[in-house]
Amino acid sequence: MVAHTGGPAILNDLAKHLDLDDGVLHHSWDSLDQVGNLGGASVIDVLDRTYTTPPAPGQTGLLIGFGPGFSGSAAKVTWVA
């Protein structure tokens, strides 16, 4: 999963409400810890980190972004080698 860093509350709620296994959001947590919330560019940093340990070809997932005033968007994605 590639998720905008948003902040600790957003990442915790995302994991809780999507019933995600521990570690699924590790790139988002690492990005938040190391560079903070970069606004819209956060999801690009998380995507770049995902390339270091990519999912298996054909695996599907979500790319999720969050915006001000609480807005959000998501896209179902398929990893292609």
Side-chain angles (χ1 to χ4, degrees):
M1 173 169 303
V2 176
H4 184 281
T5 55
I10 288 177
L11 292 177
N12 285 328
D13 285 348
L14 185 63
K16 176 183 174 184
H17 294 291
L18 293 181
D19 196 27
L20 301 175
D21 292 334
D22 289 343
V24 170
L25 297 173
H26 71 280
H27 290 306
S28 296
W29 281 108
D30 290 347
S31 179
L32 184 62
D33 180 56
Q34 294 168 12
V35 296
N37 183 348
L38 302 171
S42 292
V43 75
I44 301 301
D45 183 62
V46 176
L47 182 59
D48 182 58
R49 293 166 185 271
T50 303
Y51 275 92
T52 64
T53 54
Q59 186 172 350
T60 59
L62 293 174
L63 185 138
I64 300 175
F66 299 104
F70 204 78
S71 60
S73 60
K76 181 180 177 185
V77 294
T78 301
W79 194 263
V80 178

